[in-house]
Amino acid sequence: MDASGLPLLDRRITECRACPRLVSWREEVARVKRAAYADWTYWGRPVPGFGSADARMLIVGLAPAAHGGNRTGRMFTGDRSGDVLYEALYDVGLASQPTAEHARDGLELYGVRVTSPVHCAPPANKPTPQERDTCRPWLVQELRLLRPTLRAVVVLGAFGWQAALPAFAEAGWSVPRPRPAFGHGARFRLDGLELFGCFHVSQRNTFTGRLTPAMLRDVLRTAARAAELPTTDG
């Protein structure tokens, strides 16, 4: 398989109805809406990955936000977590603009793709272990398609880390046992792939200062250099 299969994979992801609780929740949110977005037609489906089909760097999150990706149909778009992530990508030279408001806002990523181990918005932002495992084959297929070009991966948060490592193993990478522990700034090498840990860009982390813009930029810039992507100085 090669990167030309990503558009087909993305379409298949958007049609998935494998997890009844997530299907019910994402559709209820899309129907009831939030007052601030009453005039929006919500996406209300699984959200596929976003970015370059020949990406050298992959960012793995947790799941779409109920009124973010579940509303806009694009990863990390339309919520404050996305605001933080895309501004940082722009600051280090990996995105065309610092904002992500909707799927047709012109945002482009340079050599980067963004995905998540769970593609539906979960209640309280907490997928169950069963939902995580049910969704894993999508991530495995995405990793296999990206493997020819992929050189670095940034995983946001412990949940993403725990979900991603088994997916890397299933996709053909040799993952050591015991598995590498998550931590902000963690860095491991998997068969020519550099794996980086970073605190999640959640409001809890960014509002409290556990993850600062400088900390995020530092991880992204280090990963980009490992992937041999050009970055801005800083």
Side-chain angles (χ1 to χ4, degrees):
M1 296 192 294
D2 56 46
S4 64
L6 275 172
L8 175 59
L9 176 65
D10 290 345
R11 288 196 298 272
R12 290 176 60 207
I13 287 172
T14 66
E15 298 168 355
C16 184
R17 300 182 65 85
C19 300
R21 187 183 79 116
L22 298 187
V23 171
S24 176
W25 173 250
R26 80 192 190 208
E27 293 180 353
E28 178 184 350
V29 169
R31 182 175 61 255
V32 176
K33 305 182 182 181
R34 178 175 283 174
Y37 306 121
D39 59 342
W40 274 77
T41 299
Y42 274 53
W43 174 255
R45 289 182 276 168
V47 181
F50 166 62
S52 305
D54 57 351
R56 298 184 66 84
M57 176 173 156
L58 181 67
I59 298 173
V60 180
L62 190 161
H67 301 281
N70 190 56
R71 171 172 60 91
T72 64
R74 193 174 71 190
M75 282 287 173
F76 281 106
T77 299
D79 58 57
R80 291 190 177 182
S81 294
D83 292 343
V84 173
L85 176 62
Y86 288 121
E87 183 174 8
L89 286 168
Y90 174 78
D91 288 343
V92 301
L94 298 175
S96 62
Q97 61 192 46
T99 57
E101 298 178 357
H102 56 82
R104 295 181 178 84
D105 59 10
L107 175 64
E108 295 181 41
L109 303 182
Y110 304 137
V112 176
R113 185 171 172 87
V114 181
T115 193
S116 64
V118 175
H119 287 276
C120 292
N125 292 321
K126 293 181 179 180
T128 66
Q130 181 179 354
E131 289 162 350
R132 175 200 63 200
D133 294 346
T134 299
C135 209
R136 182 181 300 149
W138 297 124
L139 181 57
V140 171
Q141 291 179 62
E142 190 169 16
L143 290 171
R144 287 173 175 163
L145 289 166
L146 291 170
R147 184 160 189 167
T149 59
L150 195 61
R151 297 295 177 268
V153 178
V154 176
V155 182
L156 302 174
F159 181 95
W161 187 270
Q162 293 164 2
L165 289 178
F168 280 114
E170 288 186 35
W173 277 273
S174 296
V175 178
R177 287 189 174 276
R179 288 174 176 161
F182 173 77
H184 182 82
R187 181 174 182 173
F188 298 93
R189 190 169 181 84
L190 303 176
D191 296 341
L193 182 72
E194 296 283 347
L195 181 64
F196 297 84
C198 179
F199 290 145
H200 196 278
V201 289
S202 66
Q203 291 184 49
R204 181 177 62 182
N205 286 340
T206 58
F207 284 4
T208 62
R210 187 173 190 232
L211 177 68
T212 67
M215 291 167 63
L216 178 58
R217 289 194 300 267
D218 183 60
V219 173
L220 293 175
R221 187 177 284 112
T222 303
R225 288 171 178 166
E228 299 182 350
L229 289 172
T231 64
T232 58
D233 293 331

